[in-house]
Amino acid sequence: MKIDHLAIWVNDLDVMRRFYETYFEAKANDLYQNEQKQFASYFLTFPQSDCRLELMRRSDIQDLGQQTLGYAHLAISLGSKEAVDVMTRRLVDDGYERLDGPRTTGDG
């Protein structure tokens, strides 16, 4: 048994797709759309991984703006502490706000 994919709701599919393509070498499939349900999604694949990430958008799903039960986070392994430091610098240099870290977690 293996995890095939994880899915997250996003406000802007193309912005999030470009983010994962730019920083994590993800490859997206063609946009899937279901007009009747006002649903659209991309499946992203990552190098050296069988697990995919689905980015989903539906007009009636809005940002909750608070912690909720359920999905908590997505962890992406970069392979080393040095690679994490390099990625952190790149993201900050590109204008993303660093909220915390980088840090070593309890599981390494």
Side-chain angles (χ1 to χ4, degrees), residues 1-8 43-46 48-54 71 73-75:
M1 184 181 308
K2 69 176 185 171
I3 294 175
D4 179 74
H5 73 275
L6 304 170
I8 57 175
F43 273 94
L44 304 176
T45 58
F46 297 86
Q48 303 174 1
S49 177
D50 291 331
C51 186
R52 298 176 297 159
L53 176 64
E54 183 180 13
Y71 180 81
H73 70 270
L74 168 68

Side-chain angles (χ1 to χ4, degrees), residues 17 27-32 41-44:
R17 176 187 51 80
K27 302 289 184 208
N29 70 329
D30 292 334
L31 179 67
Y32 168 79
S41 75
Y42 285 110
F43 273 94
L44 304 176

